[in-house]
Amino acid sequence: MIVAALQWCGCQNTPTTKATTITNKDSNWWKSAVIYQLYPRSFKDSDGDGIGDLKGILSELDYLQSLGIDAIWLNPIYSSPNDDNGYDVSDYRAIMKDFGTMEDFDALLAAMHQRGLKLIMDIVVNHSSDEHDWFRQSRSSRNNPYRNYYHWWPAEKGKPPYRYSLFDINHDAWKYDSLTNAYYLHYFGVKQPDLNWENPKLRQEIYDMMEFWAQKGVDGFRLDAFQFAAKDTSWPHLPQGYEQQFAKHVAMKPAIHNYLREMNEQVLSKYGVMSVAEGAGNSFEDAHQLVDAARKELNMAYAFEAVDLAKSSGYNLLQFKRVFSTWDSAFAKEGWLSIFLANHDNARMVTRFASDAPEHNPYAATMLHTFLLSMRGTPYCYYGDELGMTNPGFNSITDYRDKPALNDYQYQLKQGKKAATILTEMRFSCRDNGRTPMQWNTSANAGFTTGTPWIAVNKNYTTLNVAAQQKDSTSCLTYFKKMVALRKREPALVHGSYTLVDANNQQVYAYTRSWKDKKVLVLLNFSGKQATVQTGYQLSTATPLLYNYATPPSATLRPYEAVVYALQTP
Ligand code: GLC
């Protein structure tokens, strides 16, 4: 399955001749920040072409600021033929036409900074687009100076050892190119050839490009699919079926650390920009090696183990608690984690991890926000989740836009699966479910565009939208803002140590966060039924700091009820 597969998911020190521009930023701001992930294609369209754009984002900065968030991670906005919605970059220094111009970008960045909002750019450098000039040159002849910017296998050596492609229609990562009688490698789509990080010239181009954005003043970088950048280019044969454990076999090859240290020295530390990897390798140790401060590589890990748990058949809360608890304890002393339950590669969090049934609105989504905003690590809110946006329930394959998902649909049909069965699974897990337009108001297309949206708007926009929720003191949006504000006021929620409470409770996730003389207790009913919890604390003497029902909590938790208590400490 695409969705399952998607959850992965000695270098030369070339001296830089550029002027050193170290900006004076609080170097650890990202630890106490709340990050908002914004999918530009689906946020707000300013020119009626049905595609969100930078001017659209600019026009909604009041809204974004009102959330209380600190930083915005923008999915890729570079020139791209859009085979993978911008994750196939054809020019890293230009803005995608659909999204606007470089002037629009500069205006957006300046306006964000004026409001104290930081910007995190998505850096897609495991691969480029096949329409990037580097690739055009590379494929033109075996002697071209750009040939070694990519991985080629000369066909006279026979077929290259099998490599699995996550997005290819036949899952074959080697594409034969008759022009030079050779195969090129693409772990993702056929139009996303993998860059050759062993080539110091390529690496320097990437660092220069990152410097270009750092010099503009961006505050952080998210490194897309970077755990695959270093490769074993002796191309050993891999065991049959290795794709079931794709990352174990092809991610985190040792040279990745050389590349990251080089990148850190040349760009990240020089400009004081924050950095987050996509993925965290295959173990706690891998994750530590990416982000422990003394290693001078990246700042924050982004592990998939938890977000991968939700399946159409459900998930087990005890396992969910185990995953978060073990990651927390592995990072209690050193390193830093991202906390998230959704992103552009996943369906909507409320559908996957709680319930999108109308009777559970807004409790299910506000319970999940209470969770995300009360854990240790940097919380990420995916656009629309602050409203409790749900999967749209698409009925036809023609509703979907994601090319890898459409490829996978064809692949599964070829394997003999029934269309209806594939569609049922897609309705739950396809990543397009998390990419429908932002629901602003009750006007046509939810106020996202005056044109035809590139992907259909979720029909529930008539009741679930920003305008309605802004007016409603009991809405998901209002609660989200309160929970962000609580995290900002309560250092225990950012820095406090985490202790699981009533570990074997099958309905309730309960834990404390302790910091100095403060102790906060969080109770989360992850079920649609009433629940009780054995905390061992005297709740009658505790102060509820925030709860997601209109009336105060009692000993029994209501469906999807969430409560944050301040405990009396001796
Ligand atoms: C990352 C992105 C995903 C993209 C893939 C290829 O996993 O998050 O959206 O399709 O890389 O770039």
Side-chain angles (χ1 to χ4, degrees), residues 6 8-9 73 75 84 87-88 122 124 127 167 188 192 222 224-225 278 304 344-345 404 431 435:
L6 257 170
W8 44 72
C9 191
W73 151 24
N75 290 97
D84 185 18
Y87 282 96
D88 48 324
D122 214 319
V124 190
H127 46 270
F167 289 176
F188 293 91
Q192 294 167 293
R222 176 249 185 197
D224 179 73
E278 185 201 16
F304 290 126
H344 64 292
D345 290 329
R431 52 189 194 163
R435 298 177 175 183

Side-chain angles (χ1 to χ4, degrees), residues 1-17:
M1 274 307 299
I2 276 270
V3 171
L6 257 170
Q7 318 305 341
W8 44 72
C9 191
C11 61
Q12 172 189 308
N13 268 328
T14 321
T16 170
T17 49

Side-chain angles (χ1 to χ4, degrees), residues 72-187:
I72 294 173
W73 151 24
L74 281 188
N75 290 97
I77 54 170
Y78 319 99
S79 280
S80 163
N82 270 315
D83 202 61
D84 185 18
N85 285 3
Y87 282 96
D88 48 324
V89 180
S90 52
D91 184 347
Y92 291 96
R93 296 174 191 235
I95 301 293
M96 188 193 299
K97 285 198 178 63
D98 291 338
F99 291 168
T101 62
M102 193 58 88
E103 288 69 44
D104 296 339
F105 174 83
D106 292 338
L108 177 64
L109 182 62
M112 283 179 62
H113 282 168
Q114 226 165 33
R115 291 162 188 264
L117 291 170
K118 294 184 159 57
L119 179 63
I120 299 166
M121 297 284 277
D122 214 319
I123 298 287
V124 190
V125 289
N126 170 69
H127 46 270
S128 73
S129 162
D130 66 342
E131 297 184 33
H132 194 292
D133 189 51
W134 297 339
F135 190 74
R136 289 186 206 273
Q137 300 254 11
S138 183
R139 73 180 284 249
S140 66
S141 91
R142 288 192 181 189
N143 301 324
N144 188 282
Y146 288 88
R147 185 68 169 180
N148 286 332
Y149 274 42
Y150 296 86
H151 297 283
W152 290 97
W153 176 279
E156 60 272 19
K157 281 171 65 183
K159 275 207 86 173
Y162 172 65
R163 286 295 178 274
Y164 177 78
S165 162
L166 292 152
F167 289 176
D168 187 76
I169 195 153
N170 297 314
H171 291 177
D172 183 354
W174 290 106
K175 168 79 179 163
Y176 178 70
D177 193 32
S178 58
L179 202 61
T180 57
N181 190 34
Y183 296 83
Y184 70 83
L185 184 77
H186 62 94
Y187 279 173

Side-chain angles (χ1 to χ4, degrees), residues 83 104 120 182 201 244 266 358 424 445 470 502 539 545 554:
D83 202 61
D104 296 339
I120 299 166
K201 280 199 186 132
Q244 301 308 323
Q266 292 207 32
T424 303
N445 302 316
Q470 274 173 331
D502 197 5
L539 293 186
L545 297 174
S554 68

Side-chain angles (χ1 to χ4, degrees), residues 100-339:
T101 62
M102 193 58 88
E103 288 69 44
D104 296 339
F105 174 83
D106 292 338
L108 177 64
L109 182 62
M112 283 179 62
H113 282 168
Q114 226 165 33
R115 291 162 188 264
L117 291 170
K118 294 184 159 57
L119 179 63
I120 299 166
M121 297 284 277
D122 214 319
I123 298 287
V124 190
V125 289
N126 170 69
H127 46 270
S128 73
S129 162
D130 66 342
E131 297 184 33
H132 194 292
D133 189 51
W134 297 339
F135 190 74
R136 289 186 206 273
Q137 300 254 11
S138 183
R139 73 180 284 249
S140 66
S141 91
R142 288 192 181 189
N143 301 324
N144 188 282
Y146 288 88
R147 185 68 169 180
N148 286 332
Y149 274 42
Y150 296 86
H151 297 283
W152 290 97
W153 176 279
E156 60 272 19
K157 281 171 65 183
K159 275 207 86 173
Y162 172 65
R163 286 295 178 274
Y164 177 78
S165 162
L166 292 152
F167 289 176
D168 187 76
I169 195 153
N170 297 314
H171 291 177
D172 183 354
W174 290 106
K175 168 79 179 163
Y176 178 70
D177 193 32
S178 58
L179 202 61
T180 57
N181 190 34
Y183 296 83
Y184 70 83
L185 184 77
H186 62 94
Y187 279 173
F188 293 91
V190 69
K191 284 178 68 61
Q192 294 167 293
D194 283 48
L195 289 160
N196 178 7
W197 275 75
E198 286 180 8
N199 181 346
K201 280 199 186 132
L202 175 272
R203 296 202 302 273
Q204 196 55 52
E205 298 248 27
I206 302 286
Y207 307 144
D208 289 351
M209 173 275 283
M210 291 173 78
E211 217 169 344
F212 168 82
W213 293 102
Q215 282 177 350
K216 280 186 175 284
V218 307
D219 306 278
F221 292 124
R222 176 249 185 197
L223 294 184
D224 179 73
F226 199 74
Q227 38 178 358
F228 303 120
K231 296 183 170 76
D232 180 349
T233 53
S234 66
W235 306 118
H237 281 276
L238 296 177
Q240 217 192 347
Y242 86 90
E243 57 268 25
Q244 301 308 323
Q245 292 185 302
F246 183 73
K248 279 219 158 48
H249 288 274
V250 297
M252 299 298 293
K253 296 293 162 203
I256 191 173
H257 299 294
N258 303 334
Y259 306 153
L260 286 174
R261 279 195 292 271
E262 196 177 52
M263 181 190 290
N264 184 297
E265 189 183 314
Q266 292 207 32
V267 191
L268 304 176
S269 55
K270 189 166 147 192
Y271 290 90
V273 286
M274 73 73 98
S275 51
V276 51
E278 185 201 16
N282 295 307
S283 62
F284 296 142
E285 196 192 336
D286 276 354
H288 274 297
Q289 289 189 357
L290 287 173
V291 300
D292 285 1
R295 295 182 57 88
K296 297 199 183 332
E297 296 186 23
L298 301 173
N299 294 141
M300 218 190 290
Y302 189 93
F304 290 126
E305 197 178 347
V307 82
D308 283 355
L309 289 176
K311 306 276 183 254
S312 50
S313 51
Y315 72 99
N316 179 319
L317 183 64
L318 296 188
Q319 207 184 350
F320 183 88
K321 295 194 223 183
R322 185 193 56 73
V323 170
F324 277 101
S325 303
T326 50
W327 274 94
D328 183 87
S329 67
F331 280 73
K333 295 204 172 65
E334 185 59 61
W336 195 256
L337 296 174
S338 310
I339 302 289

